[in-house]
């Protein structure tokens, strides 16, 4: 038997959220085969097996926050027999033989219990299914508690889930109810763990902490919820909580072990039933014209908490100053429109971002302090002679900043292709931690949602971040070659530069912005870079 502890899947990470298991007990695995997906530091990473062998036991539940160094899985390595499993297999074989030879119902019940020890004293509503089958049920939108298992001891198989999914495809009331009650599954390009946590938290708080209005709401039963960061519970209890859609840290504890709260299956079921009653009361209030819960709550954790910690550190470490300006990008718009067909012939979607990146890199070379950083621990200014540009991307899981390395060595089409690929990977949750680190300056595009000006927070410890706004047609005074002035409609983009005032003076920040503007106003100058 070999234990495997959760490794540090990122630099200095203290814990990670086990998003999903890719194996189940009894599976044969090879060294370096992914066995689990863990989310940490905004990235979803696969954890590989260090052994050749078979999976003996999964020590953590999907959705559980696991500290680095805790055992998450055990293996039977090749050549080492697991006596316990062999004994269990022999017991099941004998039980099956007894069941076949015995005709009366009491003997049959006894044999079933021997074949599946978990079926003894099981709380009502308990469902037996391996992690892979539960994941399939979530993907198919099937409420696993309504599926009848056909495996040994009524265990649910993949075939059972697929049959249930096929039977509910006509869109009846049962299918709608299953879709509403199925646990949210982290999916590519969606909210991942955070989306799941948000939906999960809403279910809890809608029942436990929300307060309605009117007579119906005032008569709704209240649910007393705990608010713990850590809870001791047996794996079977955690499975019950997962099946019931209950946050085990919210279940009131009935016992203590080693000075920490310990939750039993009975406490989980009692809490789940109380939630259900409260939810039914809220639904009745909405059906009679009431507004339902006045507020809901969700756990503040995962990617959103990571972002919050980074923003807090940046805001309260580096004194921020933001410089705003407008730039006439009429020539840039014309240039891009002229080059788009050429880029499309090579399968590349040409956006404005590579032009902006090139302009920023050119300005960083003129103002190297903007590409520097302060090493607070060693009290040194670090001058960086490379240009790794971070591109802030809004995803359903939160703000991520993929990094285009050595942007000064890449052409316009390569920058466009690489940026698009990295942003897509960030939104699909397939980006690696290394692709989110090492930026020297960040660009964020607020124009994509119609914004003009902003006060962006530094991607600490960088010294600067540039927010570009939406390009809009605005009237501008234009002077021709002979000095004559006229008012014309022009394409105008806004710039908002935030910088670390410990390192960058206001005049230097304004001069840097003017340099960027010069290249955006005259994109042909980028050919000289």
């Amino acid at each position: 038997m070999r234990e495997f502890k959760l490794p540090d899947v990122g630099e200095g990470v203290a814990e990670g959220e086990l998003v999903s298991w890719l194996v189940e007990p009894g599976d044969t695995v090879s060294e370096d085969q992914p066995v689990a997906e863990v989310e940490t530091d905004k990235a979803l990473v696969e954890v590989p097996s260090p052994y050749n062998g078979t999976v003996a036991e999964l020590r953590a539940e999907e959705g559980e926050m696991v500290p680095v160094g805790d055992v998450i899985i055990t293996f039977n390595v090749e050549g080492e027999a697991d006596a316990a499993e062999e004994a269990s297999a022999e017991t099941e074989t004998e039980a099956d033989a007894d069941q076949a030879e015995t005709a009366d119902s009491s003997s049959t019940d006894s044999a079933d219990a021997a074949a599946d020890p978990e079926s003894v004293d099981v709380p009502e509503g308990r469902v037996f299914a391996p992690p892979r089958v539960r994941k399939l049920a979530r993907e198919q939108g099937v409420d696993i508690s309504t599926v009848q298992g056909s495996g040994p001891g009524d265990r649910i198989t993949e075939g059972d889930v697929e049959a249930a999914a096929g039977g509910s495809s006509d869109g009846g009331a049962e299918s709608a109810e299953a879709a509403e009650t199925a646990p949210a599954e982290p999916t590519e390009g969606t909210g991942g763990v955070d989306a799941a946590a948000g939906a999960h938290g809403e279910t809890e708080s809608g029942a436990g902490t929300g307060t309605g209005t009117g007579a119906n709401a005032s008569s709704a039963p209240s649910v007393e919820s705990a608010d713990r960061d850590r809870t001791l519970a047996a794996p079977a209890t955690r499975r019950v909580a997962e099946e019931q859609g209950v946050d085990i840290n919210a279940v009131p504890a009935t016992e203590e072990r080693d000075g920490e709260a310990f939750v039993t299956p009975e406490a989980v079921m009692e809490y789940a039933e109380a939630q259900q009653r409260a939810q039914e009361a809220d639904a009745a209030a909405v059906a009679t014209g009431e507004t339902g819960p006045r507020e809901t709550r969700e756990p503040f954790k995962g990617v959103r908490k990571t972002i919050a910690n980074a923003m807090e550190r940046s805001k309260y470490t580096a004194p921020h100053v933001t410089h705003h300006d407008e730039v006439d990008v009429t020539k840039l718009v014309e240039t891009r429109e002229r080059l788009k067909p050429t880029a499309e012939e090579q399968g590349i979607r040409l956006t404005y971002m590579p032009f902006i990146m090139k302009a920023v890199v050119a300005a960083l070379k003129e103002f190297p302090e903007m590409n520097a950083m302060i090493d607070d621990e060693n009290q040194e200014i670090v001058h960086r002679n490379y240009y790794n540009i971070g591109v802030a991307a809004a995803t359903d899981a939160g703000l991520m900043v993929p990094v285009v390395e050595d942007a000064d060595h890449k052409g316009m089409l390569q920058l466009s292709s690489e940026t698009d690929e990295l942003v897509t990977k960030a939104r699909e949750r397939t980006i690696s931690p290394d692709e989110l680190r090492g930026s020297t300056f960040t660009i964020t595009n607020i124009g994509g949602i119609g914004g003009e000006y902003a006060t962006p927070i530094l991607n600490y410890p960088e010294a600067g971040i540039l927010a570009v706004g939406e390009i809009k047609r605005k009237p501008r005074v234009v002077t021709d070659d002979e000095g004559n002035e006229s008012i014309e409609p022009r394409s105008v983009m806004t710039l908002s530069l935030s910088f670390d005032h410990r390192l960058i003076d206001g005049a230097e920040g304004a001069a840097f912005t003017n340099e960027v503007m010069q290249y955006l106003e005259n994109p042909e100058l980028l050919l000289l870079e």
Side-chain angles (χ1 to χ4, degrees), residues 6 9 13-21 37-43 59-72 193-194 197 228-232 238 247-249 299-306 309:
L6 178 66
V9 292
V13 171
E15 62 181 3
E17 182 161 1
L18 202 155
V19 176
S20 65
W21 284 109
E37 290 180 318
V38 175
E39 182 181 38
T40 181
D41 196 24
K42 304 183 186 179
R59 295 281 187 87
E61 300 292 330
E62 293 181 352
E64 181 179 348
M65 297 299 297
V66 182
V68 169
D70 276 17
V71 176
I72 59 172
V193 175
D194 268 34
R228 296 184 300 272
D229 294 327
R230 179 179 173 84
T231 299
L232 298 180
R238 295 186 184 277
D247 180 3
I248 200 165
N249 291 325
F300 185 39
K301 64 176 184 178
V303 174
R304 177 48 56 190
K305 186 169 178 59
T306 300
N309 291 339

Side-chain angles (χ1 to χ4, degrees), residues 91-92 95-96 99 106-121 153:
T91 302
E92 289 188 10
D96 290 339
Q99 180 179 353
S106 61
S107 297
T108 301
D109 292 341
S110 175
D112 287 341
D116 188 356
E118 287 187 282
S119 65
V120 180
D121 297 328

